[in-house]
Amino acid sequence: MSTLTIRIPEGKHARLRSLAKARGVSLNKLIDELAAVALAHHDAETRFGTLAARGSTTVGLALLEKLDRLSSGTEVPRRLKPG
């Protein structure tokens, strides 16, 4: 474990304390959870960017169209089709 000192406006600090209290966790635990979310978001963006750079625009757009059809109910996924 390491210690991190940050400077933030008092209003933001008060809001974070309130949020931690509402969630029933310490301020330290809340900051740890928020940092984990920020890092996961960054990792996902980085991974997506890497995959997008080596991927095919045509295949990607076809996949998005298929996902749109699946989410609108106009197409049934293969694994759910009677066999």
Side-chain angles (χ1 to χ4, degrees):
M1 286 278 188
S2 62
T3 302
L4 173 68
T5 302
I6 61 170
R7 298 182 198 289
I8 59 172
E10 183 56 40
K12 190 179 289 183
H13 185 204
R15 291 181 67 200
L16 287 168
R17 279 192 312 261
S18 294
L19 179 58
K21 184 176 180 180
R23 291 187 178 186
V25 297
S26 68
L27 183 56
N28 187 67
K29 178 67 176 169
L30 176 69
I31 298 299
D32 183 49
E33 291 173 358
L34 294 174
V37 169
L39 290 170
H41 181 82
H42 171 71
D43 291 346
E45 280 185 338
T46 301
R47 185 168 194 277
F48 179 79
T50 301
L51 292 172
R54 11 176 253 218
S56 161
T57 304
T58 304
V59 172
L61 290 173
L63 178 59
L64 289 174
E65 287 178 18
K66 181 176 182 178
L67 289 171
D68 283 343
R69 288 191 307 273
L70 289 170
S71 67
S72 68
T74 59
E75 184 173 319
V76 178
R78 269 188 258 154
R79 67 182 182 277
L80 298 180
K81 290 181 182 176

